[in-house]
Structures are given as C-alpha cells and as structure tokens.
Amino acid sequence: MKNILETIIAQKRVEVAQRKMNMPIAILEKEIFFHRTPYSFRDFLLDENRTGIIAEFKRQSPSKGIINNSAEVIDVTKDYAKYGAGAISVLTDQHFFGGSLGDLKNARINPIPILRKDFIIDEYQLIESKANGADIILLIAACLSMKEVKTLSLSAKNLGLNVLLEIHTEQELQHICDEVDVVGINNRNLKDFKVDLEHSIKLGKQIPANKLRIAESGINDVYAIKMLRQQGFSGFLIGEKFMKESNPGKAFKTFVEELNVA
C-alpha cells in the first residue's frame, strides 16, 4: 500500500506533465518575476531584527483536513512580514493542500524571502517557482535521490534561488550537498504524521557546521524556539499554529510578542 508521500508524488508527476504543455518554459521566462533577484534566505534568517520564524500560509493538509479556508493570503502574509517573520512559506500544491501558484504571486508583495512549499521533482518546477516570485525552493530528501537533489540544487542556484533541503532520517543526511543553503529537519514523519521535536535536536548535531539549520513542524510554543535556538537552530517553520486561528496574522503577532518577552 502506498504511503501518503508516494501518493502525492504520483499525482505531482501527472500535474507537472500537464503544466509543461499548458505553460511552456519560454513563456515562464518572460514573466516579470523571473527577472528579479531573489532575497537571501540566510541574511533574513540571521537578521537580529527578525524572529527566524518561517511563517506558513496553508489552507489544508492530508493529516488535518481543512485548517483555514477563509483567510486571505495577502492579508495574512502582510502581517507575517510586518511582525518579524524571517521568511514566508506558501503551499502551492492544490490537490492535497488547497494552494496555488496564485497564492505565491500574491504573497510576493512582501519584501522578505518567499518559500515555495511544494513537492519539487522536475527542473521545470524551478523555473515555474522563479517566474511566480519564489526566492526559496524546497527539496524533500524522502522523495528524491542524492543525484536528483544535487542536480536540482545546482539548477536552482543557477537561477539565483535559495535551496532548502528537508530531511527526516539519519540516512538522508547524505543528500546534503554544496549547493544546499539551509537544511530543514521535519519533526513530522511524512509516512505516519507523528511529531517528535527531539528528532530535530538529534539530527541537527550531524548537519555540517556551514549549513544553517531549521526545525519544521510541531513547534507550538515560544519555549520550543528558545530551546532549539540553544541547540544551534536559526529557523523555525510554523504553519498550523497560526493558520488554525481565525486571524492568522494576529496570532503570529501575539506569538512574536510572547517570544520577545521569553
């Protein structure tokens, strides 16, 4: 029986093949955002005036169902940027997460790095990401070989994009290559959705010192961030905590105020 990740990737292959026909690379390369210089993910994560939080806009997920289908991406992401996010993550997968490339474009009004959160399996998606305003692309080690991570990372760097590599296991540490800027450790197992914050700490100690580390999923309070900072983490990807509130931007502002006090 397929796990959810395998199901998503199978669907993604179909989608990418269709989009290649509907929106050829030659057209994508004429988009205005394709010619902008992406922001540096590293610079914003290390900015002392920001929080290091990668605040996420996500409408739904396979594990939680509908999280928030009324929030407007422009309103929410403006608040994320205003109140100190280090970057903004935008889910663009439609089938499983209810997102779109339109969400990515709408979030581009903000003068901070934007992560395209999706399942990248093809170089076409890198060009698509740049054309729609992304600064950072996500590569998930669980669905890519070491060679694929290397090839996609190199192509992304050639486009000026930042590369975030997400890992889940000790074996996936081998996917880290020179072209990867930041390594994210997902505390949520993509196969069974269980969350373990200690997972970040254990794997984080094995990540090369020249790579920034971020923790993803299961970060629900300011003390988790404080503890992870002490363990050498520079970034913290948080989505559902804010998005499950009726006003995600306000929830983010409140969280940042608590973090500043802590």
Side-chain angles (χ1 to χ4, degrees):
M1 189 174 82
K2 285 185 178 180
N3 63 45
I4 186 64
L5 184 58
E6 290 170 339
T7 302
I8 290 171
I9 296 304
Q11 171 69 23
K12 193 60 58 179
R13 294 192 193 286
V14 174
E15 287 177 13
V16 172
Q18 187 65 50
R19 291 210 300 271
K20 282 180 176 178
M21 290 191 289
N22 294 342
M23 186 65 70
I25 286 173
I27 294 178
L28 288 174
E29 289 177 340
K30 292 178 182 176
E31 291 283 333
I32 188 166
F33 288 143
F34 186 79
H35 300 284
R36 63 176 285 275
T37 300
Y39 292 113
S40 165
F41 192 19
R42 171 180 283 268
D43 287 352
F44 277 77
L45 280 183
L46 298 179
D47 185 344
E48 292 182 356
N49 295 315
R50 296 196 164 269
T51 59
I53 296 172
I54 300 104
E56 192 157 86
F57 186 87
K58 174 167 64 174
R59 293 188 174 86
Q60 65 189 56
S61 75
S63 61
K64 296 292 175 71
I66 298 293
I67 299 167
N68 190 329
N69 58 5
S70 61
E72 294 292 336
V73 65
I74 291 177
D75 296 337
V76 173
T77 60
K78 269 187 176 179
D79 282 343
Y80 285 168
K82 180 179 179 181
Y83 296 116
I88 295 168
S89 170
V90 179
L91 263 294
T92 60
D93 175 85
Q94 195 279 322
H95 192 85
F96 296 94
F97 291 87
S100 70
L101 286 167
D103 289 339
L104 186 66
K105 270 189 169 177
N106 283 331
R108 183 64 280 156
I109 61 170
N110 298 290
I112 68 172
I114 308 290
L115 164 68
R116 181 191 180 183
K117 187 87 173 287
D118 210 315
F119 299 83
I120 305 288
I121 54 170
D122 192 293
E123 290 185 49
Y124 172 85
Q125 292 166 284
L126 305 179
I127 296 166
E128 187 180 59
S129 299
K130 181 97 186 282
N132 284 278
D135 302 281
I136 314 157
I137 56 104
L138 173 71
L139 299 180
I140 302 173
C143 58
L144 297 166
S145 67
M146 285 186 281
K147 184 179 179 182
E148 286 170 330
V149 168
K150 179 78 173 177
T151 300
L152 290 167
S153 296
L154 190 56
S155 296
K157 299 309 287 183
N158 287 338
L159 288 167
L161 293 165
N162 300 263
V163 179
L164 168 61
L165 175 67
E166 177 177 296
I167 65 173
H168 299 79
T169 68
E170 199 166 331
Q171 289 75 22
E172 289 169 1
L173 288 163
Q174 297 174 32
H175 285 65
I176 300 171
C177 58
D178 291 344
E179 291 76 18
V180 167
D181 300 291
V182 180
V183 179
I185 302 171
N186 196 334
N187 302 299
R188 176 175 287 115
N189 188 309
L190 286 183
K191 295 176 181 177
D192 61 16
F193 296 110
K194 290 179 181 175
V195 175
D196 178 14
L197 206 59
E198 290 295 320
H199 190 59
S200 281
I201 296 169
K202 181 183 173 185
L203 275 187
K205 292 174 181 175
Q206 301 177 66
I207 292 172
N210 65 332
K211 305 294 182 187
L212 291 186
R213 285 168 274 172
I214 70 171
E216 307 174 11
S217 300
I219 302 168
N220 294 314
D221 58 57
V222 298
Y223 301 103
I225 289 184
K226 193 174 178 182
M227 180 264 290
L228 287 163
R229 278 179 176 165
Q230 289 170 349
Q231 296 292 331
F233 283 81
S234 302
F236 320 91
L237 194 145
I238 306 176
E240 287 172 18
K241 178 170 179 62
F242 308 132
M243 288 303 299
K244 69 183 180 182
E245 303 296 334
S246 58
N247 187 330
K250 185 179 179 182
F252 176 72
K253 178 178 181 283
T254 300
F255 188 84
V256 171
E257 287 168 351
E258 290 174 8
L259 183 63
N260 289 336
V261 170

